[in-house]
Amino acid sequence: MENETPETPPLVLEDFIPYRLNKAAEAVSQRFASIYRDRYGLTRPEWRTLATLGQFGILTATAIGAHSSMHKTKVSRAVFTLEKRRWLSRKRDDIDRRIENLELTPAGRKVYADLAKVAHAFEAELLSNLGSKGEKELNAGLAALEAYFG
Amino acid sequence: MENETPETPPLVLEDFIPYRLNKAAEAVSQRFASIYRDRYGLTRPEWRTLATLGQFGILTATAIGAHSSMHKTKVSRAVFTLEKRRWLSRKRDDIDRRIENLELTPAGRKVYADLAKVAHAFEAELLSNLGSKGEKELNAGLAALEAYFG
DNA sequence: AATAGATCGTCACACTTGCAACTAATATCG
DNA sequence: CGATATTAGTTGCAAGTGTGACGATCTATT
């Protein structure tokens, strides 16, 4: 007699950490992505570029990529789009002329400020739904992962 | 006098939950992906399809997509590839002939069994590096997120 | 100073993905 | 019963992505 479905499947995805982590991250990301997409028509790489520049002020494209784990062509294209929208300006470095120093324009900073506010609200809303216990645990769990990878 | 970098940037990405969650998930996923890619040349959608079928036995393409949050075209293409490799077989349903009942072949089950074993080892290794405290916290944090979304 | 090697950012190309349209089959409702 | 709507799965097409090559510039070695 054969079992169509094994009674104890070798791997239960719902219990598998990588799977759970991914699903949770994807769910959170998509919710947040719909916000900046609806508000400003930003893609994910564009939002990340904007946010990284907003946080650090002036950076090169390479630095943005390193910090946000984005491929350099992704950054290159995001920068191009943001520049077209006049939310970002480039300046060739005087000392090393391979480098471009990127900076948000006043208009870009405005968008950033608005989205930063929304981001905080989003995060607060999410965390409040987890409860203070859930929040602590999630934070600690992520910290553990970061300690391992970092 | 102007500050190039704001002293207190409106949003610190390293502290922002969606960002941290994503980065952690991406790091874990890529490590694991490199395993099934190197071993069997599987893509992510293909692995997910294999794993879902391995767990549940017989499913339709739609069911696989629903369970693993994959777009139906993604599933369709993954099924096609797995079928070509003879790791998966289709059978039109006798009652509802729109439906295809998908099932792993013996060869497919073999691959699945191997990868399931590797997956458990991968997870165990990861968790051991988090420590039993980190493990508990991560589990609890994910559970909180799942409770909120589920 | 000259050559070789590394780095920055861009581009062409192939590959992956999602959306919308499509075929085939079933379900619903007058 | 018959017309319409819905569902399962595939495919064409457009958009997004990573790889590798490239020009330009800088660094290191001699």
Side-chain angles (χ1 to χ4, degrees):
Chain A
M1 205 156 58
E2 252 195 358
N3 286 324
E4 305 286 15
T5 306
E7 268 123 30
T8 59
L11 184 68
V12 177
L13 287 171
E14 291 77 17
D15 299 339
F16 186 49
I17 293 288
Y19 176 81
R20 295 172 64 199
L21 201 51
N22 240 289
K23 208 163 175 177
E26 205 42 51
V28 172
S29 273
Q30 285 204 358
R31 286 191 183 211
F32 185 56
S34 74
I35 295 178
Y36 54 68
R37 180 171 40 73
D38 291 351
R39 282 209 167 204
Y40 295 105
L42 286 170
T43 65
R44 188 122 66 120
E46 285 156 21
W47 152 249
R48 282 195 177 193
T49 300
L50 187 85
T52 308
L53 277 176
Q55 178 176 346
F56 293 105
I58 299 183
L59 290 176
T60 67
T62 303
I64 293 174
H67 188 273
S68 61
S69 334
M70 283 197 294
H71 196 268
K72 62 180 180 171
T73 61
K74 236 184 204 170
V75 178
S76 176
R77 283 151 182 159
V79 166
F80 178 78
T81 304
L82 292 176
E83 188 192 26
K84 251 193 341 197
R85 290 194 165 188
R86 308 199 182 277
W87 288 350
L88 172 158
S89 68
R90 314 177 187 233
K91 227 182 341 189
R92 276 260 168 244
D93 191 284
D94 285 329
I95 297 168
D96 186 342
R97 300 217 323 259
R98 294 169 300 184
I99 287 173
E100 292 179 341
N101 293 110
L102 306 172
E103 188 179 11
L104 295 185
T105 61
R109 273 194 285 276
K110 227 172 187 165
V111 175
Y112 170 66
D114 179 48
L115 281 179
K117 214 180 54 189
V118 174
H120 276 124
F122 177 84
E123 188 185 44
E125 154 81 7
L126 175 68
L127 291 177
S128 85
N129 277 296
L130 301 187
S132 82
K133 184 159 161 286
E135 171 177 349
K136 270 201 205 77
E137 292 162 337
L138 178 59
N139 248 302
L142 287 175
L145 282 170
E146 284 154 2
Y148 175 44
F149 291 121
Chain B
M1 203 158 56
E2 252 196 357
N3 285 324
E4 305 286 15
T5 306
E7 269 124 29
T8 57
L11 184 68
V12 178
L13 286 172
E14 292 77 17
D15 299 338
F16 186 49
I17 294 288
Y19 177 82
R20 295 173 65 199
L21 201 51
N22 241 287
K23 208 163 176 176
E26 204 43 50
V28 172
S29 273
Q30 284 204 358
R31 287 192 182 210
F32 184 55
S34 74
I35 296 177
Y36 54 68
R37 182 171 41 72
D38 292 350
R39 283 206 167 206
Y40 294 104
L42 285 171
T43 65
R44 189 131 53 134
E46 284 156 22
W47 152 248
R48 282 195 176 192
T49 299
L50 188 84
T52 308
L53 276 176
Q55 178 177 347
F56 293 106
I58 300 182
L59 289 177
T60 65
T62 303
I64 293 173
H67 189 272
S68 60
S69 333
M70 287 196 293
H71 196 268
K72 63 179 181 171
T73 61
K74 236 184 204 168
V75 177
S76 175
R77 283 151 183 158
V79 166
F80 178 78
T81 304
L82 293 176
E83 188 192 26
K84 250 194 339 197
R85 291 193 164 189
R86 308 199 182 276
W87 287 350
L88 171 158
S89 68
R90 314 178 188 232
K91 227 182 342 188
R92 277 262 169 241
D93 191 284
D94 285 329
I95 296 168
D96 185 341
R97 299 215 326 256
R98 293 170 300 186
I99 288 174
E100 291 178 340
N101 294 110
L102 306 172
E103 189 178 11
L104 296 184
T105 62
R109 274 194 284 274
K110 228 172 185 164
V111 175
Y112 171 67
D114 179 48
L115 281 179
K117 214 180 54 192
V118 174
H120 276 125
F122 176 86
E123 187 185 44
E125 154 81 6
L126 175 69
L127 290 177
S128 86
N129 277 296
L130 300 187
S132 82
K133 185 159 159 288
E135 171 176 349
K136 270 199 206 78
E137 292 162 337
L138 179 58
N139 248 302
L142 286 176
L145 281 170
E146 285 154 1
Y148 175 44
F149 290 121

